[in-house]
Amino acid sequence: MPVSLILSTCPDADTAQRLARILVEERLAACVSLLPAGVSTYRWQGRVEQATEVQLLAKTPADRRDALMARLAELHPYELPEILAVETAAGLPAYLDWVTAETRTDASPE
C-alpha cells in the first residue's frame, strides 16, 4: 500500500510532541518525526512574517491520510495550519508494511 508523508509546522516543541503522540496513539500515523526548530518566512494577512517552528513528518498509509489530516487540523493551534501530503514513490517494503500494520484500528493493544 502506498504511504503518505504528512508535513506540518508547529509553534513549539511541546505542541509538536503533543500532536505527534495523539496521532500515533490514535493509529492515524505509524511514526511522527519532529525536526528541530527552524525559521519560516511567510506572508500572512498582508504582512511578511517570520516565526520559529518545529516541523512534523507523519507517516501513514494512503487510506488513512485524509483522517490524519482532518484530525491534525482539528487539534492544531494555528488558524490556518500547514498540512501537506506527499505520496511516497517507493520505500523499503518491510517499512511500508510496518506503517500499514501500525495504523490498523483493529490491531490489538500492547
Side-chain angles (χ1 to χ4, degrees), residues 37-66:
V39 177
S40 296
T41 303
Y42 53 94
R43 184 177 304 279
W44 181 247
Q45 298 180 343
R47 296 186 3 222
V48 175
E49 303 279 347
Q50 282 193 319
T52 300
E53 297 180 300
V54 175
Q55 182 76 51
L56 293 180
L57 302 173
K59 283 70 84 175
T60 193
D63 68 346
R64 301 288 284 156
R65 181 194 65 219
D66 292 344

Side-chain angles (χ1 to χ4, degrees), residues 31-110:
C31 172
V32 181
S33 301
L34 283 60
L35 301 183
V39 177
S40 296
T41 303
Y42 53 94
R43 184 177 304 279
W44 181 247
Q45 298 180 343
R47 296 186 3 222
V48 175
E49 303 279 347
Q50 282 193 319
T52 300
E53 297 180 300
V54 175
Q55 182 76 51
L56 293 180
L57 302 173
K59 283 70 84 175
T60 193
D63 68 346
R64 301 288 284 156
R65 181 194 65 219
D66 292 344
L68 186 153
M69 291 172 56
R71 184 68 168 136
L72 184 55
E74 177 185 309
L75 296 168
H76 208 287
Y78 287 168
E79 180 182 343
L80 180 61
E82 171 191 71
I83 301 176
L84 300 171
V86 178
E87 189 171 321
T88 58
L92 181 66
Y95 182 80
L96 300 178
D97 291 344
W98 175 80
V99 169
T100 299
E102 291 305 312
T103 56
R104 295 300 95 190
T105 56
D106 58 351
S108 60
E110 297 177 24

